[in-house]
């Protein structure tokens, strides 16, 4: 290299108060320029023509802007603009082979529940890289655009079952308070698991609140949901009837039984469970009503709150009793979404609270996008639902068969 050119660069940097090393220093800026110049050369070789060259017109492939990527270098993390082509066939060599991209690494670690401080410590310990908390936050903020796109993507026209549940996180909005984040998970007509969206609530669970969420889902293409399973969310059945009149709302039976124990002494749990089981395993609604009357006679005086709990939930409890065993086993519980919630809770547990609603949603989004990076879980899910979907098709008069003739629009791509 030309020594005079180097001397001139160093002198200019010193005159402008620019540090040689460190974040934003001369070496980082030079590294950025050199890498981006090399990448521009690579995409020129890949496409076969220079930038703005008329030879590229109607060539079948062309430049398509850039994407930001943070790479680890000997002078620290450097954010560069990586060129893209319209076909998506350009694979950079210098960045892929010589440098380690940390964007995916940071997002993966954050999705597993690590805080920015823990991610910083991990990168320093394993890679000897001093990455600031601000850089880590900036990297995770890059997913906000993809999160917005995902939240507004078109959905399938029909889903056999939708599950809706909520987790609670601490958000600082003036004062730290528990706020619900609602998760809607659906099973597709092919038996795949598809998370439809995330919504941060303000604590209200009335019909108006649920109308807003369900109408958004409908506006994204969902014209029909055969069943919707929830944990007794207030106001949800009324909203479902308005948005999807033919949809059957089913209360999670497992949660209903568990909630019963909240009103009973520990020494009575086994006896109560023994008398409640014939209620939710009855062959018909009439038989369930008879078994419940027996339960009320035995425990109504001591635990009237349990009797009221079941009476208030009876209309949403009984629908699954009309169906065969395959459908009953699937819709009597929200276990399908509980496993997702367990992963979300693991991610948010490390944080005492979130500074705002967007930060909480970002954390939850990263957690669900990293649920099944290999696809093996999706395959097991599909096999588990195959028999139940056949039963659904028969029970609901072929509505699923008709839907299968329409193309499915939803695909969820994991972040990591």
């Amino acid at each position: 290299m030309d020594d005079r050119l180097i001397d001139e660069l160093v002198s200019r940097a010193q005159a402008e108060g620019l540090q040689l090393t460190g974040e934003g220093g001369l070496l980082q800026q030079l590294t950025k320029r050199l890498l981006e110049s090399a990448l521009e050369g690579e995409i020129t070789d890949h496409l076969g023509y220079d930038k703005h060259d008329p030879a590229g017109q109607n060539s079948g492939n062309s430049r398509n802007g850039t994407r930001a990527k943070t790479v680890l270098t000997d002078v620290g993390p450097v954010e560069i603009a990586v060129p893209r082509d319209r076909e998506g066939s350009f694979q950079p060599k210098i960045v892929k082979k010589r440098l380690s991209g940390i964007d995916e690494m940071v997002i993966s670690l954050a999705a597993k529940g690590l805080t920015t401080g823990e991610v910083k410590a991990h990168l320093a310990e394993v890679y000897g890289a001093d990455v600031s908390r601000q850089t880590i936050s900036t990297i995770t903020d890059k997913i906000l655009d993809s999160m917005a796109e995902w939240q507004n993507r078109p959905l399938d026209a029909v889903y056999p079952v939708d599950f809706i549940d909520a987790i609670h996180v601490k958000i600082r909005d003036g004062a730290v308070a528990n706020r619900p984040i609602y998760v809607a998970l659906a099973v597709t007509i092919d038996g795949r698991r598809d998370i439809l969206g995330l919504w941060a609530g303000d604590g209200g669970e009335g019909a108006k609140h649920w109308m807003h969420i369900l109408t958004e889902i409908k506006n994204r293409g969902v014209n029909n949901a055969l069943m919707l399973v929830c944990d007794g969310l207030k106001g949800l059945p009324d909203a479902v009837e308005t948005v999807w009149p033919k949809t059957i709302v089913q209360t999670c039976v497992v949660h209903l039984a568990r909630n019963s124990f909240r009103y009973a002494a520990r020494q009575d749990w086994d006896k109560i469970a023994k008398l409640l089981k014939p209620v939710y395993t009855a062959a018909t609604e009439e038989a369930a009503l008879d078994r419940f009357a027996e339960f009320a006679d035995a425990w109504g005086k001591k635990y009237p709150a349990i009797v009221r709990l079941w009476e208030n939930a009876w209309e949403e409890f009984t629908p699954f009793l009309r169906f065969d065993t395959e459908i009953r086993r699937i819709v009597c519980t929200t276990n399908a979404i509980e496993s997702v919630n367990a992963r979300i809770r693991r991610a948010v547990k490390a944080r005492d609270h979130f500074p705002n609603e967007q930060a909480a949603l970002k954390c939850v989004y990263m957690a669900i996008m990293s649920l099944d990076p290999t696809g093996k879980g999706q395959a097991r899910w599909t096999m588990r639902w195959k028999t139940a979907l056949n039963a659904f098709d028969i029970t609901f008069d072929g509505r699923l068969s008709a839907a299968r003739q329409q193309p499915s629009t939803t695909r969820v791509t994991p972040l990591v």
Side-chain angles (χ1 to χ4, degrees), residues 4 22 49 55 68 80 82 92-93 104 115 126 149 157 162 199 213 222 233 275 283 331 343 355:
R4 288 179 299 176
Y49 60 89
I80 60 175
V82 181
K93 296 183 176 61
E104 296 83 359
T115 63
V126 177
E149 182 180 355
D162 289 350
W199 296 266
I213 291 178
V222 183
L233 296 171
L275 273 183
V331 302
R343 180 64 175 269

Side-chain angles (χ1 to χ4, degrees), residues 171-246:
I171 297 177
R172 185 179 68 240
D173 186 9
V176 176
N178 278 325
R179 294 267 301 277
I181 291 183
Y182 299 102
V183 183
L185 180 149
V187 181
T188 71
I189 57 177
D190 301 319
R192 294 182 297 104
R193 177 178 63 190
D194 188 17
I195 298 175
L196 306 184
L198 303 168
W199 296 266
D202 57 6
E205 292 186 3
K208 184 177 179 180
H209 170 80
W210 288 112
M211 273 287 291
H212 170 73
I213 291 178
L214 296 180
T215 300
E216 178 185 318
I217 294 174
K218 183 177 181 179
N219 289 342
R220 289 163 60 194
V222 183
N223 298 321
N224 195 352
L226 305 188
M227 296 193 72
L228 188 144
V229 183
C230 63
D231 181 21
L233 296 171
K234 185 179 178 181
L236 182 56
D238 293 335
V240 171
E241 185 177 358
T242 302
V243 178
W244 297 308
K246 294 183 178 180

Side-chain angles (χ1 to χ4, degrees), residues 235-273:
L236 182 56
D238 293 335
V240 171
E241 185 177 358
T242 302
V243 178
W244 297 308
K246 294 183 178 180
T247 298
I248 296 174
V249 178
Q250 174 66 52
T251 291
C252 172
V253 178
V254 173
H255 277 85
L256 188 59
R258 288 176 184 168
N259 290 339
S260 302
F261 299 141
R262 292 163 45 193
Y263 301 102
R266 179 65 180 85
Q267 63 266 24
D268 293 330
W269 285 7
D270 290 342
K271 297 174 185 177
I272 290 173

Side-chain angles (χ1 to χ4, degrees), residues 9 13 134 177 191 222 257 260 278 308 352 373 381 386 406:
L9 285 172
Q134 182 58 47
V222 183
S260 302
R308 286 196 300 270
D352 180 53
W381 179 281
K386 185 174 293 186
Q406 303 176 17

Side-chain angles (χ1 to χ4, degrees), residues 9-10 12-14 16-34 73-79 130 135:
L9 285 172
V10 173
R12 183 180 299 178
Q14 291 174 341
E16 296 177 358
L18 183 64
Q19 294 182 347
L20 181 64
T21 59
E23 190 168 350
L26 177 62
L27 290 178
Q28 280 197 349
Q29 292 189 30
L30 285 173
T31 302
K32 172 181 171 67
R33 296 285 183 87
L34 287 170
T73 72
D74 292 338
V75 296
V78 176
E79 184 171 299
D130 183 15
T135 298

